Amino acid sequence: MFASKSSSVSPSPSMEQADSDALDISTKVQLYGVLWKRPFGRQSAKWSRRFFIIKESFLLYYAESEKKSFESNKYFNIHPKGVIPLGGCIVEPKEEPNMPYAIKISHEDFHGNIVLAAESEFEQAQWLEMLQESGKVTWKNAQLGEAMIESLEAQGLQLAKEKQEYLDKLMEETEELCLQREQKEELERLNQVLEAEKHRFEEVVRELRLEQEQIRRELELTARSLKGVEEEKKELRSLTQSLQKTLEELSLEKQQMLEMLEENESQLPPPTSPSKEQSPIWGLHCSLQQIEEKMQQLLEEKLLAEKRMKENEERSRALEEEREFYSSQSQALQNSLSELTAEKQQTERDLKAEVKVRMDLEKKLREAEEALQSLEQGLNSLDCNKEKEEKMKADVSNLRKFFEECIRNAELEAKMPVIMKNSVYIHKAATRRIKSCRFHRRRASTSWNDCRYRAASYSIS
């Protein structure tokens, strides 16, 4: 198996290592150089110099002159003097006489040991390291390596499949998370709308309070006017009674004057030549005429007082109707204010509930993002053990529960929340109610101003 030839034994520095890049590209040998070799298979003290090459798991040796050809051509000769398989060999340093840097190569299949020697300790260390590394390449190790490679490839495929599954789940959960973020933005928008509606409610409540205060003032003014009308009505009634009494007295006086006039006309003879101004009958006629004029004047005053009393009664009736109207409007406004206050409180409670739900959702979203980041780190990590797999499964389970709960609780996709509709309807109803109250109040104020104008004109007349 091994061949050898002797040459001159003249020790000199021999081992050289080629440039690593050139060797990797052209020769593809692990190490080459000149070593001392003792004959194989027999005890001999003769040493010869040989050119050695380590190629993969084989040690090839040539004559020393082959070194120049190898370095010039950068290719090794395929017809070596001998080939030593290194697979499974035991390589260790050995002390030899006159050769302090010897190397022993042994194997159970070899007949004897192979002994080589380097020129220096550094060369010995290099050859020992490379020979030991090359000796690890055996058929059994190659089969084991192939089995390990197949196992690793299978594990890699399984991990790639699991990684793809996790990535698919991660994409689905990311889409769900994006949907939840959109719902969160929708909740924020609805929160802003509800805040605006809340301010509108407050404005409506303030307007209703102002309307109620104005109606209360007008109601007090109407009550004072009604009280003044009642007092004027009493005065007119007393004046009418006094005029009636005066008329009755004047009628009685007139009757007496007429009786006296008839008696005087019957008793006294007709005058011969007295003047009319000097006769008593003429004086009675003048008194009677004055009484009639005074009665006529009193009758006119009585009619005027009755007319004014009738107007005062109409005015009092109008004021009473206006007071009832203002009372009903005030009660309606009070009811509306109470309803709006209750609705405002309900809206605030619903808004607080929505804010609380949104805060809980944000907290859950943060937890979900942390779980997703942990899951992504676990997927991107090269180290995969049972603890990490269990943690990733727990993260996936928590994320699934979170999204299922969010889907059950989400109602924004189907319709607008009821609180939003109620707030819009309440605002419209309140606006219509305010317009109606203002219209009735303007109409009542117009009628009241007309009554005041007529009363002022009658007072002037």
Side-chain angles (χ1 to χ4, degrees), residues 289-356:
Q289 187 175 0
Q290 291 177 359
I291 290 170
E292 286 180 355
E293 290 176 358
K294 192 173 183 180
M295 286 182 66
Q296 185 66 29
Q297 186 179 359
L298 289 173
L299 283 173
E300 290 177 358
E301 290 180 359
K302 179 183 177 183
L303 291 174
L304 182 59
E306 288 178 352
K307 185 177 180 181
R308 288 180 63 188
M309 188 168 64
K310 186 176 181 181
E311 289 175 355
N312 282 334
E313 288 178 355
E314 292 177 356
R315 183 180 171 189
S316 175
R317 191 163 50 249
L319 288 174
E320 187 67 29
E321 291 176 356
E322 187 175 1
R323 189 181 68 175
E324 292 178 357
F325 169 74
Y326 279 132
S327 297
S328 63
Q329 290 298 319
S330 177
Q331 186 65 31
L333 283 176
Q334 186 65 34
N335 294 334
S336 300
L337 187 61
S338 300
E339 292 176 1
L340 286 174
T341 304
E343 290 166 356
K344 177 186 173 185
Q345 293 175 355
Q346 182 65 30
T347 304
E348 289 178 351
R349 287 194 294 269
D350 294 340
L351 183 60
K352 289 179 181 178
E354 289 290 335
V355 171
K356 185 178 179 182

Coordinates of all heavy atoms in Angstrom, one line a residue, residues 289-356:
Q289 N -134.9 122.6 33.0 CA -134.0 122.4 31.9 C -132.6 122.1 32.3 O -131.9 121.3 31.7 CB -134.1 123.7 31.0 CG -133.3 123.5 29.7 CD -133.5 124.7 28.8 OE1 -134.1 125.7 29.2 NE2 -132.9 124.7 27.6
Q290 N -132.1 122.8 33.4 CA -130.8 122.5 33.9 C -130.7 121.1 34.4 O -129.7 120.4 34.2 CB -130.5 123.5 35.0 CG -130.3 124.9 34.5 CD -130.0 125.9 35.6 OE1 -130.0 125.5 36.8 NE2 -129.8 127.2 35.3
I291 N -131.8 120.7 35.1 CA -131.8 119.3 35.6 C -131.7 118.3 34.4 O -130.9 117.3 34.5 CB -133.0 119.0 36.5 CG1 -132.8 119.8 37.8 CG2 -133.2 117.5 36.8 CD1 -134.1 119.8 38.6
E292 N -132.4 118.5 33.4 CA -132.4 117.6 32.2 C -131.0 117.6 31.6 O -130.5 116.5 31.2 CB -133.5 118.0 31.2 CG -134.9 117.7 31.7 CD -135.9 118.2 30.7 OE1 -135.5 118.8 29.7 OE2 -137.1 117.8 30.8
E293 N -130.4 118.8 31.4 CA -129.1 118.9 30.9 C -128.1 118.1 31.7 O -127.2 117.4 31.2 CB -128.7 120.3 30.7 CG -129.4 121.1 29.6 CD -129.0 122.5 29.5 OE1 -128.2 122.9 30.4 OE2 -129.5 123.2 28.6
K294 N -128.2 118.3 33.0 CA -127.3 117.6 33.9 C -127.5 116.1 33.9 O -126.6 115.3 33.9 CB -127.5 118.1 35.4 CG -126.4 117.7 36.3 CD -126.6 118.4 37.7 CE -125.5 117.9 38.6 NZ -125.6 118.6 39.9
M295 N -128.8 115.7 33.8 CA -129.1 114.3 33.6 C -128.5 113.7 32.3 O -128.0 112.6 32.3 CB -130.6 114.0 33.7 CG -131.2 114.2 35.1 SD -133.0 113.9 35.1 CE -133.0 112.1 34.7
Q296 N -128.7 114.5 31.3 CA -128.1 114.1 30.0 C -126.6 113.9 30.1 O -126.0 112.9 29.6 CB -128.5 115.1 28.9 CG -128.1 114.6 27.5 CD -128.8 113.4 27.0 OE1 -130.0 113.2 27.4 NE2 -128.2 112.6 26.2
Q297 N -126.0 114.9 30.7 CA -124.5 114.8 30.9 C -124.2 113.5 31.8 O -123.2 112.8 31.4 CB -124.0 116.0 31.6 CG -122.5 116.1 31.7 CD -122.0 117.4 32.3 OE1 -122.8 118.2 32.6 NE2 -120.7 117.5 32.4
L298 N -124.9 113.3 32.8 CA -124.7 112.2 33.7 C -124.9 110.9 32.9 O -124.2 109.9 33.1 CB -125.5 112.2 34.9 CG -125.1 113.3 36.0 CD1 -126.1 113.4 37.1 CD2 -123.7 113.0 36.5
L299 N -125.9 110.8 32.1 CA -126.1 109.6 31.3 C -125.0 109.3 30.3 O -124.5 108.2 30.2 CB -127.4 109.8 30.5 CG -128.7 109.6 31.3 CD1 -130.0 110.0 30.4 CD2 -128.9 108.2 31.8
E300 N -124.5 110.4 29.7 CA -123.3 110.2 28.8 C -122.1 109.7 29.6 O -121.4 108.8 29.2 CB -123.0 111.6 28.1 CG -124.0 112.0 27.1 CD -123.7 113.3 26.5 OE1 -122.7 113.9 26.9 OE2 -124.4 113.8 25.6
E301 N -121.9 110.3 30.8 CA -120.8 109.8 31.6 C -121.0 108.4 32.0 O -120.0 107.6 32.1 CB -120.6 110.7 32.8 CG -120.1 112.1 32.5 CD -120.0 113.0 33.8 OE1 -120.3 112.5 34.9 OE2 -119.5 114.1 33.7
K302 N -122.3 108.0 32.3 CA -122.5 106.7 32.7 C -122.3 105.7 31.6 O -121.7 104.6 31.7 CB -124.0 106.6 33.2 CG -124.4 105.1 33.6 CD -125.8 105.1 34.0 CE -126.2 103.6 34.3 NZ -127.7 103.5 34.6
L303 N -122.7 106.1 30.4 CA -122.5 105.3 29.2 C -121.0 105.1 29.0 O -120.5 104.0 28.6 CB -123.1 105.9 28.0 CG -124.7 105.8 27.9 CD1 -125.2 106.6 26.7 CD2 -125.2 104.4 27.9
L304 N -120.2 106.2 29.1 CA -118.8 106.2 28.9 C -118.1 105.3 29.9 O -117.2 104.5 29.6 CB -118.2 107.6 29.0 CG -116.7 107.7 28.7 CD1 -116.3 107.1 27.4 CD2 -116.2 109.1 28.9
A305 N -118.6 105.4 31.2 CA -118.1 104.6 32.3 C -118.4 103.1 32.0 O -117.5 102.2 32.2 CB -118.6 105.0 33.6
E306 N -119.6 102.8 31.6 CA -120.0 101.4 31.2 C -119.1 100.9 30.1 O -118.7 99.7 30.1 CB -121.5 101.3 30.9 CG -122.4 101.5 32.1 CD -123.8 101.5 31.7 OE1 -124.1 101.5 30.5 OE2 -124.7 101.5 32.6
K307 N -118.9 101.8 29.1 CA -118.1 101.3 28.0 C -116.7 101.0 28.4 O -116.0 100.0 28.0 CB -118.1 102.4 26.9 CG -117.4 102.1 25.6 CD -117.5 103.2 24.6 CE -116.7 102.8 23.3 NZ -116.8 103.9 22.3
R308 N -116.1 101.9 29.3 CA -114.8 101.7 29.8 C -114.7 100.5 30.6 O -113.7 99.7 30.6 CB -114.3 102.9 30.6 CG -114.0 104.1 29.7 CD -113.5 105.3 30.5 NE -112.3 105.0 31.3 CZ -111.8 105.8 32.2 NH1 -112.4 106.9 32.5 NH2 -110.7 105.4 32.8
M309 N -115.8 100.2 31.4 CA -115.8 99.0 32.3 C -115.8 97.8 31.4 O -115.2 96.8 31.7 CB -117.0 99.1 33.2 CG -117.0 98.0 34.3 SD -118.2 98.3 35.5 CE -119.7 98.2 34.6
K310 N -116.6 97.9 30.3 CA -116.7 96.7 29.4 C -115.3 96.5 28.7 O -114.9 95.3 28.6 CB -117.7 97.0 28.3 CG -118.0 95.8 27.4 CD -119.1 96.1 26.4 CE -119.4 94.9 25.5 NZ -120.4 95.2 24.5
E311 N -114.7 97.6 28.3 CA -113.3 97.4 27.7 C -112.3 96.9 28.8 O -111.5 96.0 28.5 CB -112.8 98.8 27.2 CG -113.6 99.3 26.0 CD -113.1 100.6 25.6 OE1 -112.3 101.2 26.3 OE2 -113.6 101.1 24.5
N312 N -112.5 97.4 30.0 CA -111.6 96.8 31.1 C -111.9 95.3 31.3 O -110.9 94.6 31.6 CB -111.8 97.6 32.4 CG -111.1 99.0 32.3 OD1 -110.1 99.1 31.6 ND2 -111.6 99.9 33.1
E313 N -113.1 95.0 31.2 CA -113.4 93.5 31.4 C -112.8 92.7 30.2 O -112.2 91.6 30.5 CB -115.0 93.3 31.4 CG -115.6 93.8 32.7 CD -117.1 93.6 32.7 OE1 -117.6 93.2 31.6 OE2 -117.7 93.8 33.7
E314 N -112.9 93.2 29.0 CA -112.3 92.5 27.9 C -110.8 92.5 28.1 O -110.1 91.5 27.8 CB -112.6 93.3 26.6 CG -114.1 93.1 26.2 CD -114.4 93.9 24.9 OE1 -113.5 94.6 24.4 OE2 -115.6 93.8 24.4
R315 N -110.2 93.6 28.5 CA -108.8 93.7 28.7 C -108.4 92.7 29.8 O -107.4 92.0 29.7 CB -108.4 95.1 29.1 CG -106.9 95.3 29.3 CD -106.6 96.7 29.7 NE -105.3 96.9 30.1 CZ -104.8 98.0 30.6 NH1 -105.6 99.1 30.8 NH2 -103.5 98.1 31.0
S316 N -109.2 92.7 30.9 CA -108.9 91.8 32.0 C -109.0 90.3 31.5 O -108.2 89.5 31.9 CB -109.9 92.0 33.1 OG -109.7 91.0 34.2
R317 N -110.0 90.0 30.6 CA -110.1 88.7 30.1 C -108.9 88.3 29.2 O -108.4 87.2 29.3 CB -111.4 88.6 29.3 CG -111.8 87.2 29.0 CD -113.3 87.1 28.6 NE -113.6 88.0 27.6 CZ -114.5 89.1 27.8 NH1 -115.0 89.3 29.0 NH2 -114.8 90.0 26.9
A318 N -108.5 89.3 28.4 CA -107.3 89.1 27.6 C -106.0 88.9 28.4 O -105.2 88.0 28.1 CB -107.1 90.3 26.6
L319 N -105.9 89.7 29.5 CA -104.8 89.5 30.3 C -104.8 88.2 31.1 O -103.8 87.5 31.3 CB -104.7 90.7 31.4 CG -104.3 92.0 30.8 CD1 -104.4 93.1 31.9 CD2 -102.9 92.0 30.3
E320 N -106.0 87.8 31.4 CA -106.1 86.5 32.1 C -105.7 85.3 31.1 O -105.0 84.4 31.5 CB -107.6 86.3 32.6 CG -107.8 85.0 33.4 CD -107.1 85.1 34.8 OE1 -106.9 86.3 35.3 OE2 -106.7 84.1 35.3
E321 N -106.2 85.5 29.9 CA -105.8 84.5 28.9 C -104.3 84.5 28.6 O -103.7 83.4 28.5 CB -106.6 84.7 27.6 CG -108.1 84.5 27.6 CD -108.8 84.8 26.3 OE1 -108.1 85.4 25.4 OE2 -110.0 84.6 26.2
E322 N -103.7 85.7 28.6 CA -102.3 85.7 28.4 C -101.5 85.2 29.6 O -100.5 84.5 29.4 CB -101.9 87.2 28.2 CG -100.4 87.4 27.8 CD -100.1 88.8 27.5 OE1 -101.0 89.7 27.6 OE2 -98.9 89.1 27.2
R323 N -102.1 85.4 30.8 CA -101.4 84.8 31.9 C -101.5 83.3 31.9 O -100.5 82.6 32.2 CB -102.1 85.3 33.2 CG -101.3 84.9 34.5 CD -102.0 85.5 35.7 NE -103.3 84.8 35.9 CZ -104.1 85.0 37.0 NH1 -103.7 85.8 37.9 NH2 -105.2 84.3 37.1
E324 N -102.7 82.8 31.5 CA -102.8 81.3 31.4 C -101.9 80.8 30.4 O -101.2 79.7 30.5 CB -104.3 81.0 31.1 CG -105.2 81.2 32.2 CD -106.7 80.9 31.9 OE1 -106.9 80.6 30.7 OE2 -107.6 81.0 32.7
F325 N -101.8 81.5 29.2 CA -100.9 81.1 28.1 C -99.4 81.1 28.6 O -98.7 80.1 28.4 CB -101.0 82.0 26.9 CG -100.0 81.8 25.9 CD1 -100.0 80.7 25.0 CD2 -98.9 82.7 25.7 CE1 -99.1 80.5 24.1 CE2 -98.0 82.5 24.8 CZ -98.0 81.4 23.9
Y326 N -99.0 82.2 29.3 CA -97.6 82.2 29.8 C -97.4 81.2 30.8 O -96.3 80.6 30.9 CB -97.3 83.6 30.3 CG -97.0 84.6 29.2 CD1 -97.5 85.9 29.2 CD2 -96.1 84.3 28.2 CE1 -97.2 86.8 28.2 CE2 -95.7 85.2 27.2 CZ -96.3 86.5 27.2 OH -96.0 87.3 26.3
S327 N -98.4 80.9 31.6 CA -98.3 79.9 32.7 C -98.1 78.5 32.0 O -97.2 77.7 32.4 CB -99.5 79.9 33.6 OG -99.6 81.1 34.3
S328 N -98.9 78.3 31.0 CA -98.8 77.0 30.3 C -97.4 76.9 29.6 O -96.8 75.8 29.6 CB -99.9 76.8 29.3 OG -99.9 77.8 28.3
Q329 N -97.0 78.0 28.9 CA -95.7 78.0 28.3 C -94.6 77.8 29.2 O -93.6 77.1 29.0 CB -95.5 79.3 27.5 CG -96.4 79.4 26.3 CD -96.1 78.3 25.2 OE1 -95.0 78.0 25.0 NE2 -97.2 77.8 24.7
S330 N -94.7 78.5 30.4 CA -93.7 78.3 31.4 C -93.6 76.9 31.9 O -92.5 76.3 32.1 CB -94.0 79.3 32.6 OG -93.0 79.1 33.6
Q331 N -94.8 76.3 32.1 CA -94.8 74.9 32.5 C -94.2 74.0 31.5 O -93.5 73.0 31.8 CB -96.3 74.5 32.9 CG -96.4 73.1 33.4 CD -95.8 73.0 34.8 OE1 -95.7 74.0 35.6 NE2 -95.2 71.8 35.1
A332 N -94.6 74.3 30.2 CA -94.0 73.5 29.1 C -92.5 73.6 29.0 O -91.8 72.6 28.8 CB -94.7 73.9 27.8
L333 N -92.0 74.9 29.2 CA -90.6 75.1 29.1 C -89.9 74.4 30.3 O -88.8 73.8 30.2 CB -90.3 76.6 29.2 CG -90.5 77.3 27.8 CD1 -90.2 78.8 28.0 CD2 -89.5 76.7 26.8
Q334 N -90.6 74.4 31.5 CA -90.0 73.8 32.7 C -89.9 72.2 32.4 O -88.9 71.6 32.7 CB -90.9 74.0 33.9 CG -90.3 73.5 35.2 CD -89.0 74.2 35.6 OE1 -88.8 75.4 35.3 NE2 -88.1 73.4 36.2
N335 N -91.0 71.7 31.8 CA -91.0 70.2 31.5 C -89.9 69.9 30.5 O -89.2 68.9 30.6 CB -92.4 69.8 31.0 CG -93.5 69.9 32.1 OD1 -93.2 69.9 33.3 ND2 -94.7 70.1 31.6
S336 N -89.8 70.8 29.5 CA -88.8 70.6 28.4 C -87.4 70.7 29.1 O -86.5 69.9 28.7 CB -88.9 71.6 27.3 OG -90.2 71.5 26.7
L337 N -87.2 71.7 30.0 CA -85.9 71.8 30.6 C -85.6 70.6 31.5 O -84.5 70.1 31.5 CB -86.0 73.1 31.5 CG -84.6 73.5 32.1 CD1 -83.6 73.8 31.0 CD2 -84.8 74.7 33.0
S338 N -86.6 70.1 32.2 CA -86.4 68.9 33.0 C -86.1 67.7 32.1 O -85.1 66.9 32.4 CB -87.7 68.6 33.8 OG -88.0 69.7 34.7
E339 N -86.8 67.5 31.0 CA -86.5 66.4 30.1 C -85.1 66.6 29.5 O -84.4 65.6 29.4 CB -87.5 66.4 28.9 CG -89.0 66.0 29.4 CD -90.0 66.1 28.3 OE1 -89.5 66.5 27.2 OE2 -91.2 65.9 28.5
L340 N -84.8 67.8 29.0 CA -83.4 68.0 28.5 C -82.3 67.8 29.5 O -81.3 67.2 29.2 CB -83.3 69.4 27.9 CG -84.0 69.7 26.6 CD1 -84.0 71.1 26.2 CD2 -83.5 68.8 25.5
T341 N -82.6 68.2 30.7 CA -81.6 67.9 31.8 C -81.4 66.4 32.0 O -80.3 65.9 32.1 CB -82.1 68.6 33.1 OG1 -82.2 70.0 32.9 CG2 -81.0 68.4 34.2
A342 N -82.6 65.7 32.1 CA -82.5 64.3 32.2 C -81.8 63.6 31.0 O -80.9 62.7 31.2 CB -83.9 63.7 32.4
E343 N -82.1 64.1 29.8 CA -81.5 63.5 28.6 C -80.0 63.9 28.6 O -79.1 63.1 28.2 CB -82.2 64.0 27.4 CG -83.6 63.4 27.2 CD -84.4 64.2 26.2 OE1 -83.9 65.2 25.7 OE2 -85.5 63.8 25.9
K344 N -79.6 65.1 29.1 CA -78.2 65.5 29.1 C -77.5 64.6 30.1 O -76.4 64.1 29.8 CB -78.1 66.9 29.5 CG -76.7 67.4 29.7 CD -76.7 68.8 30.2 CE -75.3 69.3 30.6 NZ -75.3 70.6 31.2
Q345 N -78.1 64.3 31.3 CA -77.4 63.5 32.2 C -77.3 62.1 31.7 O -76.2 61.4 31.9 CB -78.2 63.4 33.5 CG -78.2 64.8 34.3 CD -79.2 64.8 35.5 OE1 -79.9 63.8 35.7 NE2 -79.1 65.8 36.3
Q346 N -78.3 61.6 31.0 CA -78.2 60.2 30.4 C -77.1 60.2 29.3 O -76.4 59.2 29.2 CB -79.6 59.9 29.8 CG -79.6 58.5 29.1 CD -79.4 57.4 30.2 OE1 -79.8 57.5 31.3 NE2 -78.8 56.3 29.8
T347 N -77.1 61.3 28.5 CA -76.0 61.4 27.5 C -74.6 61.4 28.1 O -73.7 60.7 27.6 CB -76.2 62.6 26.6 OG1 -77.6 62.6 26.1 CG2 -75.2 62.7 25.5
E348 N -74.5 62.1 29.2 CA -73.2 62.2 29.9 C -72.8 60.8 30.4 O -71.7 60.4 30.3 CB -73.2 63.2 31.0 CG -73.2 64.6 30.5 CD -73.3 65.7 31.6 OE1 -73.5 65.2 32.8 OE2 -73.2 66.9 31.4
R349 N -73.8 60.1 31.0 CA -73.6 58.8 31.5 C -73.2 57.8 30.4 O -72.2 57.1 30.5 CB -74.8 58.2 32.2 CG -75.0 58.9 33.6 CD -76.0 58.0 34.4 NE -77.3 58.0 33.8 CZ -78.3 58.9 34.0 NH1 -78.1 59.9 34.9 NH2 -79.5 58.8 33.4
D350 N -73.9 57.9 29.2 CA -73.6 57.1 28.1 C -72.2 57.4 27.6 O -71.4 56.6 27.2 CB -74.6 57.2 27.0 CG -76.0 56.7 27.4 OD1 -76.0 55.8 28.4 OD2 -77.0 57.0 26.8
L351 N -71.9 58.7 27.5 CA -70.6 59.2 27.1 C -69.4 58.7 28.0 O -68.4 58.2 27.5 CB -70.5 60.7 27.0 CG -69.3 61.3 26.4 CD1 -69.0 60.8 25.0 CD2 -69.3 62.8 26.4
K352 N -69.7 58.7 29.3 CA -68.7 58.2 30.2 C -68.5 56.7 30.0 O -67.4 56.2 30.0 CB -69.1 58.5 31.6 CG -69.0 60.0 32.0 CD -69.4 60.2 33.4 CE -69.3 61.7 33.8 NZ -69.8 61.9 35.2
A353 N -69.6 56.0 29.8 CA -69.5 54.6 29.5 C -68.7 54.3 28.2 O -67.9 53.4 28.2 CB -70.9 53.9 29.4
E354 N -69.0 55.1 27.2 CA -68.3 54.9 25.9 C -66.8 55.2 26.1 O -65.9 54.5 25.6 CB -68.8 55.9 24.9 CG -70.2 55.5 24.3 CD -70.2 54.2 23.5 OE1 -69.1 53.9 22.9 OE2 -71.2 53.6 23.4
V355 N -66.5 56.2 26.9 CA -65.1 56.6 27.2 C -64.4 55.4 27.9 O -63.2 55.0 27.7 CB -65.0 57.9 27.9 CG1 -63.5 58.1 28.4 CG2 -65.4 59.1 27.1
K356 N -65.1 54.9 28.9 CA -64.5 53.8 29.7 C -64.3 52.5 28.8 O -63.3 51.9 28.8 CB -65.5 53.4 30.8 CG -64.9 52.3 31.7 CD -65.9 52.0 32.9 CE -65.4 50.9 33.8 NZ -66.3 50.6 34.9

